[in-house]
Amino acid sequence: MAQIIDGKKISAAVKAEVAAGVAALKERGIETGLAVVLVGDDPASRVYVNNKKKACALCGIRSFEYTLPAETKEEELLALVGKLNADPAVNGILVQLPLPPQIDEQKVIAAIAPEKDVDAFTEGNVGRIMIGDYHFLPCTPAGCMTLIDSTGVSVDGKNCVVVGRSNIVGKPMAMLLLHRNGTVTICHSHTKNLAEICSQADILVSAVGKAGFITAPMVKEGAVVIDVGMNRNAEGKLCGDVDFEAVEKKAGFITPVPGGVGPMTIAMLMRNTLTAAKLQNGVE
């Protein structure tokens, strides 16, 4: 039976560490601030934004929320990003995705100042992750790495399989495992022998967004299984990509959904915001 990796507990420890760092900056007269921009009224996005506000309050980070109507024009959003880039009270800028169809997401991401890009989505920050010389890591992959580290299992030399190749999770996740000397395979919708490849993984990360996609025969005995998926099953219950009940009997370590990767994503955003404040104020 697998050990459950408790994302809530680990994220609380990360946020406590961030709060201490924010308090230390405050003693030097430096406030830490995060601006979150929400366009439209997507219910899931609203939940995420509210959770980010709560985390900011917990960590002592000033939270600036900008809620714009769904019909906002691209140039209006770009003008707001430009204003936030120039605002010294704002250390981090997060534009909640997805954006309405009339707005080019890539153009908006590119407009964020790299030193305030706490999602690590801009081309420059993505490039830095590729070469291993980065200030910020994308929040979800960084959270996954912290969860893997909590197990005491070393990535060095392990067979690591990432299912999913998105720019937000799959690709950066693979790079972080590679930087730790893992032997990494990225699987996707065109991968042949997917089940066989997954079953050889010492560390398996699934980020495909399909309920119950990873079944017990796809998991190696004793593997570390990280479930990034956030789905609803046929009964409407929140679940991940992994068939938890079946895989739990076989894996060595497993993250639950909810309560696994989700809380870590927000904790890493808080850590990135603190890092941004330090960088912008020349604090080591």
Side-chain angles (χ1 to χ4, degrees):
M1 190 68 90
Q3 286 188 50
I4 307 296
I5 306 172
D6 189 343
K8 286 183 182 173
K9 184 179 172 186
I10 297 164
S11 72
V14 172
K15 284 186 273 196
E17 178 193 301
V18 171
V22 169
L25 284 186
K26 207 167 190 174
E27 282 176 13
R28 298 169 70 158
I30 301 166
E31 290 273 8
T32 306
L34 173 67
V36 179
V37 181
L38 177 62
V39 184
D41 49 9
D42 179 73
S45 292
R46 169 42 67 193
V47 170
Y48 287 139
V49 168
N50 286 347
N51 287 340
K52 285 162 187 168
K53 280 168 74 175
K54 283 179 198 163
C56 281
L58 200 64
C59 294
I61 294 172
R62 294 168 74 193
S63 178
F64 306 100
E65 185 187 320
Y66 297 85
T67 308
L68 307 177
E71 59 275 13
T72 297
K73 292 186 172 72
E74 187 180 276
E75 53 268 30
E76 292 174 299
L77 180 53
L78 290 171
L80 173 59
V81 169
K83 182 180 137 195
L84 297 174
N85 283 338
D87 187 346
V90 174
N91 303 112
I93 301 169
L94 186 147
V95 179
Q96 185 67 47
L97 302 179
L99 291 169
Q102 76 275 15
I103 298 173
D104 183 337
E105 285 186 0
Q106 288 308 313
K107 202 181 275 189
V108 173
I109 289 166
I112 297 170
E115 67 275 14
K116 295 190 178 188
D117 170 33
V118 286
D119 260 335
F121 287 169
T122 59
E123 288 178 4
N125 284 330
V126 170
R128 294 188 77 125
I129 293 158
M130 181 67 75
I131 61 173
D133 175 26
Y134 46 77
H135 296 305
F136 310 118
L137 288 174
C139 300
T140 300
C144 290
M145 290 303 293
T146 303
L147 293 175
I148 293 167
D149 289 341
S150 77
T151 67
V153 173
S154 170
V155 175
D156 198 311
K158 297 294 192 301
N159 275 337
C160 306
V161 173
V162 179
V163 188
R165 55 176 166 178
S166 72
N167 291 334
I168 293 172
V169 182
K171 290 177 190 173
M173 187 74 230
M175 290 313 305
L176 297 189
L177 291 163
L178 194 58
H179 290 323
R180 295 280 197 89
N181 300 319
T183 300
V184 184
T185 304
I186 304 176
C187 296
H188 45 78
S189 57
H190 292 245
T191 299
K192 292 179 173 65
N193 306 321
L194 175 70
E196 187 188 331
I197 294 167
C198 289
S199 70
Q200 293 168 24
D202 301 305
I203 297 170
L204 177 62
V205 181
S206 182
V208 291
K210 290 183 180 176
F213 184 78
I214 302 292
T215 59
M218 297 169 74
V219 176
K220 182 179 180 179
E221 198 78 43
V224 177
V225 179
I226 306 293
D227 190 351
V228 183
M230 190 67 79
N231 317 298
R232 298 271 174 192
N233 63 14
E235 292 80 48
K237 190 182 170 191
L238 204 60
C239 64
D241 290 345
V242 177
D243 179 355
F244 185 87
E245 282 183 19
V247 172
E248 185 190 11
K249 296 179 178 73
K250 200 172 178 186
F253 297 89
I254 190 169
T255 59
V257 177
V261 174
M264 294 304 298
T265 297
I266 291 178
M268 294 298 140
L269 173 65
M270 298 299 107
R271 181 181 278 174
N272 280 351
T273 304
L274 173 60
T275 300
K278 286 180 175 178
L279 286 169
Q280 288 158 38
N281 288 281
V283 176
E284 289 297 319

